[in-house]
Amino acid sequence: MTSIRHALVTTVLACAALTLTACQPEDTADADGTVTPSATASHAAKGGAKSDCHTLAPGHKYVQVESVSGAMNTLTVKDATQNCNPDEGAFYQANGKEHEYTVASDSTPIYVLHVKKKGPAKMTAANGGIEHVRVCANGTAHDTDTASADTSDCYGENFYDVAVNSNGKVTEMTELYGS
């Protein structure tokens, strides 16, 4: 009888351990092979699944991008806040004043969510990142475009976690998933 109880306890503990490890975000490898935890893994779930609440790193803030203009480097944004419901996950709300920021450089990292492609993607400002942000915020690919761009790869509400340096330039952007 004791051995049956031990087997049952061992099975329960193994199942609990598997359940806990299944909930951890996956690590990703950068182009240089450096493995880092996915910046958007906790909030990149699709299909109405509950998302974990995002935590801001020091020096970062939430914004909602209203438009991208100029030479594809000027962002008009509103400050935003996160609300977190443990049952439904995170949702964001623009409630602050409007700002204009420029992107620090062509190599500024921009992490975007995709609808068509699976999972988040790391881009740079010059390598599709700002274009994705612009198409999703403005509905056009360029200032001179009169026809609407294909927005079917846009996630939704244009909320981002951004780092802004002391010169008012965006040094990093991460598109946010919210329920």
Side-chain angles (χ1 to χ4, degrees), residues 25-102:
E26 294 181 22
D27 291 343
T28 57
D30 291 339
D32 65 0
T34 304
V35 176
T36 56
S38 173
T40 56
S42 66
H43 47 77
K46 298 283 192 285
K50 179 185 130 186
S51 66
D52 293 332
C53 294
H54 180 270
T55 302
L56 283 174
H60 287 235
K61 64 193 258 178
Y62 297 121
V63 299
Q64 182 178 37
V65 176
E66 295 181 329
S67 66
V68 179
S69 60
M72 294 286 281
N73 69 347
T74 303
L75 305 168
T76 302
V77 304
K78 268 197 169 174
D79 290 339
T81 55
Q82 177 195 79
N83 296 296
C84 184
N85 179 317
D87 296 325
E88 297 174 15
F91 61 97
Y92 301 89
Q93 180 176 0
N95 59 5
K97 69 180 203 173
E98 195 172 270
H99 300 281
E100 275 195 356
Y101 295 123
T102 56

Side-chain angles (χ1 to χ4, degrees), residues 6-175:
H6 284 18
L8 181 59
V9 168
T10 302
T11 303
V12 168
L13 290 175
C15 288
L18 285 173
T19 301
L20 290 174
T21 58
C23 294
Q24 301 301 314
E26 294 181 22
D27 291 343
T28 57
D30 291 339
D32 65 0
T34 304
V35 176
T36 56
S38 173
T40 56
S42 66
H43 47 77
K46 298 283 192 285
K50 179 185 130 186
S51 66
D52 293 332
C53 294
H54 180 270
T55 302
L56 283 174
H60 287 235
K61 64 193 258 178
Y62 297 121
V63 299
Q64 182 178 37
V65 176
E66 295 181 329
S67 66
V68 179
S69 60
M72 294 286 281
N73 69 347
T74 303
L75 305 168
T76 302
V77 304
K78 268 197 169 174
D79 290 339
T81 55
Q82 177 195 79
N83 296 296
C84 184
N85 179 317
D87 296 325
E88 297 174 15
F91 61 97
Y92 301 89
Q93 180 176 0
N95 59 5
K97 69 180 203 173
E98 195 172 270
H99 300 281
E100 275 195 356
Y101 295 123
T102 56
V103 178
S105 73
D106 285 347
S107 61
T108 297
I110 299 176
Y111 300 87
V112 302
L113 300 176
H114 290 288
V115 174
K116 291 180 179 179
K117 300 173 188 174
K118 184 179 179 194
K122 179 181 178 183
M123 300 177 158
T124 62
N127 189 23
I130 286 294
E131 182 179 355
H132 174 87
V133 175
R134 180 186 174 90
V135 165
C136 295
N138 296 31
T140 60
H142 304 285
D143 278 338
T144 57
D145 288 349
T146 56
S148 295
D150 177 8
T151 59
S152 63
D153 198 30
C154 296
Y155 171 72
E157 299 177 13
N158 302 316
F159 286 102
Y160 291 85
D161 166 341
V162 297
V164 179
N165 68 18
S166 61
N167 297 324
K169 296 190 181 282
V170 173
T171 59
E172 181 180 339
M173 289 182 77
T174 302
E175 189 171 13

